[in-house]
Every structure is written in structure tokens, then in C-alpha cells.
């Protein structure tokens, strides 16, 4: 079993080992979360690297990654457990055909763990030889409030209660990363159970470091131009600002086209990699893209 990092610096090194470029504040809150066994609640705009942290932890620590992708209408059956009804029906038919058990015995048998299908939350409470898994509860803000309330028992006591079976408790709590794009506020009761960190868009210097790691084949000068252009877009009043993931995609797309520098025609023809709404594209393409490029060229290197 790979041990958890013993310091903030070691946590930063752990993330770097998974090609994740983190600032010290993120490394600090992650270290505390791991050291004290508390869930880490990450908020920020889409595409800033929240989900990636769970993936990197899973890889660098050698733990299973269990992902619960949240959506509106998510219920206990999809998140915790459900009964294998087909197998239960077969067991009932066999028992009735043989006639060797009464109704109470049949009922007891078919509601045993043997017929239980484990979903992500229950699976994350199971012991694992490689160590407690990394449980990613992704985009919690997409769920309904009743499910959010259900999580309180899991995150407080590391247990779930199944009426027919009883309470199942984790021997060792999983490493929990919760993400939210802040489309709605998450209740304070859940936040109290977590350490909180807001992941903002990176500075130009950090975004350049990220490109260096994530898009190593892109020429250094082109990477600088890409980052400068994207940073300028984030100052605009666009419907959806480009995230780090879009920056990486754009840089790789430009490299795939053998582009060596940004010009208006190249930006216009590839802007769909960066922006995802027609209104945003219409606003930036053409004269606005040319204006931004002129401004960037006029700045000292």
C-alpha cells in the first residue's frame, strides 16, 4: 500500500508526479484532507481541474477510483445499492418448486447481501488490500437536495443503512473528493463535513506550466501566445469562459495544424475548440480576435 504524503511539500510532489500543476494552497488543503481523513469539497468553474485531482490521487496512490457522477434525479438505487430482482425471482421460483423452505426463510434469503448490487457509495465503504479507494462525487450541484441530505450519514459516519440487512460501516474511510460547478449552493450541513477549496482559473504563469506538462509537443512560443490569448478572453463578458481543459485542447489542436503562431485566420478557424457557445464565437471571431492579437503583439516580450 502506498503511504499518504507526510507533508504539504510531499503532497505537491504527489500531484506533480501525476502531471498535475497545483499551487501551494491547493496542496495544503489536500494534505490536510488526507492527513485528517476529511472529505475535500472543491468548487470552481468547469474545466479548472477539480475532477482531475481525484484521478491523479487514484493513480499516484495506487488506489481504486470510484466515481459517482451526479445528475438531477439521482437516487439511492443508483448511488448506494439495489436488489438483484432477477436473481431474487429465480431463487423464489426454485424454492417454491422444491418446497423445502417456508415463506419466511425465502424472504430472509433473498434479502441477504448475496442479492445486493453495490453502487459507488456502498462499494467505496468496502475494504481494499490496496488501501481505501478514492471516491469521487462529481458535480454534486447537479443532484437534488434530498440526495445531498442522504450523503450526510455517509460523510459523517462512513456508513450506510440498508433496512433488510442493517448498517454497513467502512473499516477505513475512503478518500473523498467532491466537486461542484456552483450551479446552485450546496447546503452548509454538507460543507461542514468537508474541507473547502475554491479552484480559480490559473494565472498566466501557472497555465503556461500546465501546458508545458499537458501539451509538451506544443512549441514554447505558441504556448505563450495561446495562454496570453486565453487569459485575455477570461477578462471578457462571455457566456462561458474557456477552462484549462479548453486551453490544452486548443494548444494541441493548433499543433496538429502545424501552426507556429496565432493569426486572425487561425484563431477564427479553431475558436470552436476554445469556446462552446455561438454567441461567444460570434463576439470573438473576426475584428475582436484581431484586436486582441494586436494588443498582445504590442506588449513587451
Amino acid at each position: 500500500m502506498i503511504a499518504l504524503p507526510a507533508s504539504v511539500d510531499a503532497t505537491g510532489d504527489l500531484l506533480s508526479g501525476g502531471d498535475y500543476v497545483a499551487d501551494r494552497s491547493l496542496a495544503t488543503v489536500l494534505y490536510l484532507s488526507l492527513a485528517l481523513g476529511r472529505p475535500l469539497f472543491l468548487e470552481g468553474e468547469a474545466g479548472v481541474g477539480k475532477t482531475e485531482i481525484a484521478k491523479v490521487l487514484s493513480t499516484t496512490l495506487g488506489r481504486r477510483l470510484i466515481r459517482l457522477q451526479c445528475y438531477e434525479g439521482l437516487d439511492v438505487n443508483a448511488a448506494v445499492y439495489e436488489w438483484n430482482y432477477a436473481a431474487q425471482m429465480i431463487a423464489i421460483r426454485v424454492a417454491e418448486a422444491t418446497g423445502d423452505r417456508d415463506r419466511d426463510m425465502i424472504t430472509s434469503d433473498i434479502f441477504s447481501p448475496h442479492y445486493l448490487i453495490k453502487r459507488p457509495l456502498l462499494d467505496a465503504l468496502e475494504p481494499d488490500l490496496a488501501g481505501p479507494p478514492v471516491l469521487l462525487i462529481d458535480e454534486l450541484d447537479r443532484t437534488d437536495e434530498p440526495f445531498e441530505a442522504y450523503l450526510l450519514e455517509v460523510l459523517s459516519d462512513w456508513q450506510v443503512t440498508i433496512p433488510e440487512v442493517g448498517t454497513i460501516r467502512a473499516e477505513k474511510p475512503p478518500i473523498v473528493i467532491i466537486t461542484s460547478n456552483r450551479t446552485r449552493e450546496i447546503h452548509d450541513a454538507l460543507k461542514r463535513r468537508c474541507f473547502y477549496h475554491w479552484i480559480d482559473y490559473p494565472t498566466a504563469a501557472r497555465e503556461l506550466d500546465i501546458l508545458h506538462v499537458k501539451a509538451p509537443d506544443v512549441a514554447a512560443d505558441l504556448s505563450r501566445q495561446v495562454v496570453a490569448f486565453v487569459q485575455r478572453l477570461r477578462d471578457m463578458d462571455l457566456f462561458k469562459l474557456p477552462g484549462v481543459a479548453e486551453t490544452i485542447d486548443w494548444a494541441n489542436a493548433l499543433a496538429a495544424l502545424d501552426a507556429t503562431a496565432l493569426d486572425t485566420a487561425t484563431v477564427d478557424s479553431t475558436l470552436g475548440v476554445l469556446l462552446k457557445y455561438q454567441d461567444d464565437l460570434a463576439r470573438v471571431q473576426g475584428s475582436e480576435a484581431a484586436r486582441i492579437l494586436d494588443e498582445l503583439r504590442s506588449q513587451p516580450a
Side-chain angles (χ1 to χ4, degrees), residues 64-103:
R64 275 196 305 148
L65 175 65
I66 299 174
R67 181 172 184 166
L68 175 61
Q69 181 62 54
C70 298
Y71 53 86
E72 186 177 356
L74 178 66
D75 61 12
V76 171
N77 287 341
V80 188
Y81 74 94
E82 62 181 321
W83 292 106
N84 188 337
Y85 294 119
Q88 287 176 321
M89 287 302 299
I90 293 173
I92 292 172
R93 297 280 173 79
V94 171
E96 289 176 342
T98 56
D100 61 346
R101 286 180 290 179
D102 60 27
R103 183 179 297 274

Side-chain angles (χ1 to χ4, degrees), residues 157-176:
D157 302 323
W158 308 111
Q159 67 180 33
V160 297
T161 300
I162 302 173
E164 299 88 349
V165 175
T167 299
I168 298 175
R169 181 178 290 109
E171 295 178 5
K172 294 181 180 179
I175 297 168
V176 180

Side-chain angles (χ1 to χ4, degrees), residues 157-274:
D157 302 323
W158 308 111
Q159 67 180 33
V160 297
T161 300
I162 302 173
E164 299 88 349
V165 175
T167 299
I168 298 175
R169 181 178 290 109
E171 295 178 5
K172 294 181 180 179
I175 297 168
V176 180
I177 303 293
I178 303 172
T179 75
S180 168
N181 293 333
R182 210 177 186 182
T183 57
R184 69 171 177 86
E185 286 294 328
I186 301 300
H187 198 279
D188 287 346
L190 190 138
K191 285 186 174 180
R192 282 199 303 272
R193 287 158 171 79
C194 308
F195 291 157
Y196 176 86
H197 187 74
W198 172 264
I199 298 185
D200 210 343
Y201 292 115
T203 62
R206 193 160 77 86
E207 192 159 31
L208 198 56
D209 289 341
I210 293 171
L211 268 193
H212 178 70
V213 172
K214 294 293 187 180
D217 295 332
V218 179
D221 188 52
L222 180 59
S223 292
R224 281 193 292 272
Q225 293 180 45
V226 165
V227 168
F229 193 92
V230 171
Q231 294 273 329
R232 192 60 59 92
L233 288 185
R234 291 189 186 131
D235 292 333
M236 297 177 63
D237 184 23
L238 299 177
F239 184 76
K240 174 67 178 68
L241 300 178
V244 178
E246 282 77 28
T247 305
I248 297 169
D249 285 345
W250 196 38
N252 282 323
L254 293 168
L257 294 173
D258 295 324
T260 56
L262 292 182
D263 55 57
T264 305
T266 302
V267 171
D268 284 352
S269 61
T270 60
L271 207 52
V273 181
L274 201 57

